[in-house]
Amino acid sequence: MQAPEPNVFASLIRKLERLADLTHADRMAIDALPYLTRSVEPRACLVREGRAGTKFTLLTEGYACRQKTTGDGKRQILSFHIPGDILDLQHMYLDWADCNVESITSACIVSVAVSNIKELVRQHPNIAEALWRDGLIDASMLREQVLNVGRRRGLQRVAHMLCEFITRRRAADPLAPDAFELPMTQEQIGDAVGLTSVHVNRMLRTLRDDGVIVQEGRSVRVADWPRLIKIGDFYAHYLHRAA
Amino acid sequence: MQAPEPNVFASLIRKLERLADLTHADRMAIDALPYLTRSVEPRACLVREGRAGTKFTLLTEGYACRQKTTGDGKRQILSFHIPGDILDLQHMYLDWADCNVESITSACIVSVAVSNIKELVRQHPNIAEALWRDGLIDASMLREQVLNVGRRRGLQRVAHMLCEFITRRRAADPLAPDAFELPMTQEQIGDAVGLTSVHVNRMLRTLRDDGVIVQEGRSVRVADWPRLIKIGDFYAHYLHRAA
DNA sequence: CGTAGGTTTGACTGATCTCAAGTTTGGTGG
DNA sequence: CCACCAAACTTGAGATCAGTCAAACCTACG
């Protein structure tokens, strides 16, 4: 514990500052938290379903996703995660984890004991408020996800997912360019939007044929952002302060 | 304000006691909250999308649902609500409401100013913890909803929705019998599980033909609970302490 | 007893899945 | 540097689930 690397919590603090006003003392308290770091391969399990949540996990590098599985093994991805995201806030006050978190790319995570976070929250109401907001925004994104999967067509779903991912990525790191390597496979996109990988492929092809996106290898560039937004029926307000 | 009716908060307190240990002082503080009551018709709008949340709304009688709408007007129901449910906790720390809440039947609601709730939470950490849990369980139910709509077939989706509704209803009021009047129309069920009302009708017919449920008018009785659970792929653990 | 909203059913259409066969890509070892 | 391999992507053809449209039938309620 207490490794000498600087700034493990930098992305977290940047995010929490968007969610509430933090004082210098608040920031110091976060930086003083005892932590452990871990580097993982792609497809590593970061939070396992069923186990009680005793730690608090922060994604600092790479991409990850939360997922659930049906009894007959079909997978649903609930959300994609980018550096700065808290991966298991949803389990802080629950007795067992109801979903898994898995890395998509190789990734780095930082974990802190839940007891330390509870103490932090008790002493620092601004941080408590920021975490409340983070949890509520997460739920808001889940609500939009239900709408997307339940009431939109395949093409719209894929477009909406692209819009959300790009928007969140930009908000977390404004320097990220429009062109980016999509970290997830088409099968993972399908698992996120409730389609098969084959159909995702056809929908991406349609977007490409219509000149909305340009694909070179696995790197995707948005050629016509207004049209992508229109096709995806994307209104960013549900992201609240995460956008 | 401060009408003389007793026990407006009874169903809320009962629920919060399942979520955390409350002291006598905690219960007294809740009962002392200033409140307003309102009775509404079916299909009345209880929480409107877009407006900032300034009050905290509790459902005390009847049924309600949260919903969102796509740009082209298709509706998705996110969750059904029963007496004791808090209808807009999700907006407590957000700048604007991202979904509507509408009554399904005629209903009674009690509202309290958010400022009073924030004060209550500051003074009573047990209540704060119970509300955290409530919000996190709500999010857990949304995750299961994404899985249901994204990765299950029509028949499974309808069966799962019935299982969840019956289970939550039982937990909130153990005296409720198996046979019950379904408060929602088949169109509303369809909007909840991402199907058309026509298809919901066919799926209910299938369940009836297979002897899993019995319908007399709009009252439904579960004839074969184990089989309904199996068809719906229903594992109640995601309900955490709400079941 | 008439009306409106909800339910039921049928016939047809269309979106998405399934299965299956290539093709491309990126990484690895010779 | 090349050959090979596994994983991911691409495409086609046929099957199936769910949507659409339309009509008839309840049922509660004024």
Side-chain angles (χ1 to χ4, degrees):
Chain A
M1 285 226 180
Q2 217 51 302
E5 315 141 32
N7 293 331
V8 266
F9 294 115
S11 61
L12 177 65
I13 290 177
R14 199 178 329 133
K15 171 200 258 215
L16 295 182
E17 278 178 328
R18 283 214 313 277
L19 298 175
D21 295 324
L22 298 192
T23 64
H24 184 64
D26 293 331
R27 283 188 293 269
M28 296 282 284
I30 293 174
D31 271 327
L33 287 169
Y35 63 90
L36 281 172
T37 59
R38 183 155 78 105
S39 297
V40 297
E41 300 288 281
R43 320 229 161 186
C45 186
L46 305 178
V47 177
R48 196 173 305 277
E49 190 173 355
R51 279 217 318 231
T54 56
K55 20 172 231 180
F56 173 98
T57 312
L58 173 69
L59 183 66
T60 52
E61 255 178 67
Y63 295 95
C65 64
R66 276 188 296 177
Q67 54 184 41
K68 294 194 79 155
T69 315
T70 62
D72 56 340
K74 278 178 279 187
R75 180 172 78 154
Q76 176 68 45
I77 289 177
L78 305 162
S79 53
F80 291 112
H81 292 285
I82 61 182
D85 282 0
I86 303 163
L87 298 178
D88 48 11
L89 187 61
Q90 70 266 18
H91 298 136
M92 192 134 117
Y93 283 106
L94 298 180
D95 304 322
W96 50 75
D98 54 72
C99 59
N100 300 309
V101 181
E102 204 177 280
S103 58
I104 288 179
T105 59
S106 48
C108 294
I109 59 176
V110 168
S111 55
V112 178
V114 159
S115 55
N116 286 319
I117 299 294
K118 286 189 176 168
E119 181 59 23
L120 180 75
V121 159
R122 212 169 299 131
Q123 310 272 337
H124 298 268
N126 294 332
I127 297 177
E129 181 171 330
L131 290 181
W132 249 110
R133 283 227 168 83
D134 190 65
L136 292 178
I137 291 171
D138 179 63
S140 176
M141 285 167 42
L142 285 171
R143 290 192 285 276
E144 183 71 21
Q145 170 83 328
V146 174
L147 177 65
N148 198 37
V149 169
R151 282 302 184 214
R152 294 203 185 98
R153 285 284 143 89
L155 188 66
Q156 300 179 286
R157 288 188 211 176
V158 172
H160 191 279
M161 185 246 121
L162 290 176
C163 288
E164 177 177 308
F165 189 76
I166 293 171
T167 302
R168 286 180 56 213
R169 214 158 162 281
R170 258 201 211 126
D173 177 8
L175 302 176
D178 263 5
F180 63 95
E181 190 92 358
L182 263 189
M184 65 288 280
T185 66
Q186 294 180 0
E187 182 157 17
Q188 287 166 332
I189 296 175
D191 284 343
V193 299
L195 299 172
T196 57
S197 61
V198 172
H199 206 63
V200 168
N201 183 284
R202 289 195 251 257
M203 298 298 99
L204 286 174
R205 188 190 205 303
T206 304
L207 290 175
R208 205 185 327 141
D209 289 350
D210 290 358
V212 181
I213 60 173
V214 179
Q215 273 177 292
E216 293 127 359
R218 277 180 77 176
S219 133
V220 168
R221 191 166 52 78
V222 177
D224 190 340
W225 181 241
R227 205 131 73 86
L228 185 65
I229 283 179
K230 185 151 185 230
I231 293 173
D233 188 34
F234 180 74
Y235 301 97
H237 60 263
Y238 73 91
L239 292 170
H240 298 275
R241 301 193 191 185
Chain B
M1 285 225 182
Q2 219 50 304
E5 316 141 33
N7 293 331
V8 266
F9 293 115
S11 61
L12 178 65
I13 290 176
R14 200 177 327 131
K15 170 199 260 216
L16 295 181
E17 276 178 330
R18 283 215 312 279
L19 298 175
D21 296 323
L22 298 192
T23 64
H24 183 64
D26 293 331
R27 285 188 292 269
M28 295 282 283
I30 293 174
D31 272 326
L33 286 169
Y35 64 90
L36 281 172
T37 59
R38 183 155 77 105
S39 297
V40 298
E41 300 288 283
R43 319 230 157 186
C45 186
L46 305 178
V47 176
R48 196 172 304 278
E49 189 173 358
R51 279 216 318 232
T54 57
K55 17 170 234 180
F56 173 98
T57 312
L58 173 68
L59 183 66
T60 52
E61 255 178 67
Y63 296 94
C65 64
R66 278 187 295 176
Q67 53 184 43
K68 295 193 76 155
T69 316
T70 61
D72 54 342
K74 277 177 282 189
R75 180 171 77 152
Q76 176 67 45
I77 290 178
L78 304 162
S79 53
F80 292 112
H81 292 284
I82 62 182
D85 282 1
I86 303 163
L87 299 177
D88 47 11
L89 187 62
Q90 71 266 18
H91 298 135
M92 192 134 116
Y93 283 106
L94 298 179
D95 304 322
W96 50 75
D98 55 73
C99 58
N100 300 310
V101 180
E102 204 176 280
S103 58
I104 288 179
T105 59
S106 49
C108 293
I109 59 176
V110 167
S111 55
V112 178
V114 159
S115 56
N116 287 319
I117 300 295
K118 286 189 175 167
E119 181 59 23
L120 180 75
V121 159
R122 212 169 297 130
Q123 311 271 336
H124 299 268
N126 295 331
I127 297 178
E129 182 170 330
L131 291 181
W132 249 110
R133 283 227 168 83
D134 190 65
L136 292 178
I137 290 171
D138 178 65
S140 176
M141 286 168 40
L142 285 171
R143 290 191 286 277
E144 184 69 22
Q145 170 83 327
V146 173
L147 176 65
N148 199 35
V149 170
R151 282 300 184 216
R152 293 201 186 99
R153 284 287 145 88
L155 187 66
Q156 299 180 285
R157 288 188 212 176
V158 173
H160 191 279
M161 185 248 122
L162 290 176
C163 289
E164 178 176 308
F165 189 76
I166 293 171
T167 302
R168 286 179 56 213
R169 213 158 161 281
R170 256 200 214 128
D173 177 8
L175 302 176
D178 262 6
F180 64 94
E181 190 91 359
L182 263 189
M184 64 288 279
T185 65
Q186 294 181 0
E187 182 157 19
Q188 287 166 332
I189 296 175
D191 285 343
V193 300
L195 299 171
T196 56
S197 61
V198 173
H199 205 63
V200 168
N201 185 284
R202 289 195 253 258
M203 297 301 99
L204 286 175
R205 187 188 205 305
T206 304
L207 290 175
R208 206 186 326 143
D209 290 351
D210 290 357
V212 181
I213 61 173
V214 180
Q215 276 177 290
E216 292 125 0
R218 275 179 80 175
S219 131
V220 168
R221 191 167 52 78
V222 177
D224 190 341
W225 181 241
R227 204 132 72 88
L228 185 65
I229 284 179
K230 184 150 187 234
I231 293 172
D233 188 34
F234 180 74
Y235 302 97
H237 60 264
Y238 73 92
L239 292 171
H240 298 274
R241 301 192 190 187

